[in-house]
């Protein structure tokens, strides 16, 4: 085991957070969560001289080019959008279909309609419930609002019932097509199994659309072209980029490099930067003269 005092669990809300930000015995704070809390923790913690890394909201996009492998892309998008019921900061919640790939939305909706919703631990379960009734209600309101704002709900996961868990907070896979950047479903991080589908005529328009979003956690491009992949790497303004990989989360020995509105702080977690964050560097200069060394006369 570990020595007493190394791991401490504190339950609470704002008062507990402020205690962590204010107590001088705590030298560094690493946070993952929403924007409001993240910016508060960063501002209050750094004002008290602490190191703070605050990883906040995201809107992770995929760009689908016409030369992509259709079958593999549909499988990748379905897993990344609906896996873990969309409740992860690197969930792929927006897909930008370029040119003729707009017809692939129907295929994604068909694939997602076959997913099994259950408690999450049962054999064959593809996704489980949302974390709370409030989270379910919020997601369902955003889905309803998207329809009133002109989007086409191709696959509607509202109203899913699981016989074994009649009081469960279930939301099935949901595919919303015809989404534009001014809609609530695009502007909000839904944190549920909801895929927003947008369309552009050109690759450059897709890149511009993603770069205009304030968040920069992660993005992915699906293509068979090395030149197109290199263009994405150079021009996209996100901290983590996948090439034919829908969730570009690195292994722990690489750093988690979300950027722009998804992160405030000086160094990221994971990898070398993660070690540096928790390390106080000392620089020692020494001079040992012969006549100062013990034993010399």
């Amino acid at each position: 085991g570990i020595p007493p005092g190394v791991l401490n669990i504190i339950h609470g809300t704002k008062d507990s957070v402020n205690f962590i930000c204010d107590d001088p015995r705590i030298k560094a704070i690493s946070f993952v969560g929403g924007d409001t809390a993240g910016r508060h923790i960063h501002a209050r913690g750094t004002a008290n001289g602490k190191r703070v890394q605050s990883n906040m909201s995201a809107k992770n996009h995929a760009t689908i080019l016409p030369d992509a492998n259709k079958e593999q892309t549909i499988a990748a998008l379905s897993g990344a959008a609906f896996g873990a019921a969309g409740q992860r900061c690197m969930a792929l919640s927006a897909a930008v279909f370029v040119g003729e790939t707009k017809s692939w939305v129907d295929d994604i909706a068909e694939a997602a309609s076959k997913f099994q919703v259950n408690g999450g631990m049962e054999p064959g379960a593809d996704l489980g419930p949302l974390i709370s009734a409030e989270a379910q209600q919020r997601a369902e309101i955003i889905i309803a609002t998207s329809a009133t704002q002109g989007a086409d709900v191709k696959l509607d996961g509202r109203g899913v019932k699981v016989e074994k868990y009649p009081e469960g907070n279930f939301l099935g896979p949901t595919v919303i097509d015809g989404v534009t950047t001014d809609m609530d479903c695009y502007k909000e991080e839904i944190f549920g199994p909801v895929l927003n589908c947008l369309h552009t005529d050109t690759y450059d328009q897709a890149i511009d659309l993603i770069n205009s979003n304030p968040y920069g956690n992660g993005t992915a491009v699906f293509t068979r072209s090395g030149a197109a992949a290199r263009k994405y790497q150079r021009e996209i303004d996100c901290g983590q980029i996948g090439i034919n990989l829908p969730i570009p989360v690195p292994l722990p020995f690489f750093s988690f490099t979300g950027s722009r509105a998804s992160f405030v702080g000086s160094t990221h977690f994971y990898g070398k930067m993660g070690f540096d964050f928790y390390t106080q560097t000392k620089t020692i200069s020494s001079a040992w003269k012969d006549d100062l060394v013990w034993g010399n006369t």
Side-chain angles (χ1 to χ4, degrees):
I2 57 177
V6 173
L7 175 64
N8 301 279
I9 299 174
I10 302 174
H11 295 282
T13 54
K14 185 175 181 180
D15 289 341
S16 299
V17 169
N18 288 340
F19 163 74
I20 292 171
C21 292
D22 296 343
D23 193 295
R25 295 171 295 178
I26 298 172
K27 305 300 182 183
I29 304 170
S30 182
F31 170 80
V32 179
D35 288 349
T36 302
R39 295 195 179 280
H40 170 79
I41 290 168
H42 183 264
R44 188 157 180 154
T46 54
N48 286 315
K50 303 178 189 293
R51 294 182 183 182
V52 180
Q53 51 183 202
S54 194
N55 301 270
M56 302 178 295
S57 296
K59 198 69 177 181
N60 305 311
H61 297 72
T63 299
I64 299 91
L65 298 184
D67 70 332
N69 182 298
K70 182 177 180 180
E71 182 178 346
Q72 293 176 4
T73 300
I74 290 171
L77 293 178
S78 299
F82 309 123
Q87 298 172 113
R88 48 187 172 182
C89 65
M90 289 301 293
L92 197 144
S93 58
V96 184
F97 294 86
V98 178
E100 64 195 51
T101 64
K102 62 184 179 181
S103 63
W104 296 11
V105 176
D106 289 331
D107 298 288
I108 293 172
E110 181 181 357
S113 69
K114 300 174 183 177
F115 281 21
Q116 297 298 310
V117 181
N118 213 320
M121 301 298 290
E122 296 80 4
D126 293 303
L127 61 159
L130 297 188
I131 191 65
S132 67
E134 291 77 14
Q136 178 191 11
Q137 182 182 36
R138 176 179 177 274
E140 290 181 344
I141 289 172
I142 293 174
I143 294 168
T145 302
S146 72
T148 62
Q149 292 176 334
D152 179 12
V153 182
K154 291 274 189 180
L155 179 65
D156 193 341
R158 292 174 292 176
V160 169
K161 300 295 182 184
V162 178
E163 184 177 352
K164 186 178 178 181
Y165 306 102
E167 302 300 321
N169 311 311
F170 294 105
L171 177 65
T174 299
V175 177
I176 305 177
D177 195 20
V179 173
T180 56
T181 57
D182 59 338
M183 293 181 180
D184 289 359
C185 60
Y186 179 78
K187 293 187 293 184
E188 297 287 337
E189 185 179 25
I190 302 174
F191 229 63
V194 181
L195 178 63
N196 296 299
C197 300
L198 302 92
H199 302 280
T200 64
D201 294 326
T202 68
Y203 191 19
D204 285 329
Q205 289 173 346
I207 291 174
D208 289 342
L209 186 155
I210 295 168
N211 286 344
S212 66
N213 188 278
Y215 296 108
N217 229 17
T219 186
V221 63
F222 291 87
T223 180
R224 300 186 194 191
S225 167
R230 287 191 294 274
K231 176 181 174 70
Y232 207 73
Q233 293 171 201
R234 290 194 304 266
E235 297 184 16
I236 210 72
D237 189 8
C238 286
Q240 300 173 109
I241 300 169
I243 308 298
N244 297 315
L245 292 171
I247 301 180
V249 177
L251 294 171
F253 44 79
F254 297 107
S255 294
F256 188 101
T257 52
S259 62
R260 295 193 284 153
S262 294
F263 177 80
V264 287
S266 56
T267 58
H268 295 279
F269 57 41
Y270 286 1
K272 186 178 186 298
M273 283 191 279
F275 280 101
D276 290 343
F277 179 77
Y278 290 107
T279 301
Q280 179 63 55
T281 304
K282 291 182 179 180
T283 301
I284 301 171
S285 302
S286 299
W288 294 95
K289 307 299 183 181
D290 288 346
D291 59 350
L292 296 178
V293 178
W294 289 357
N296 287 355
T297 58

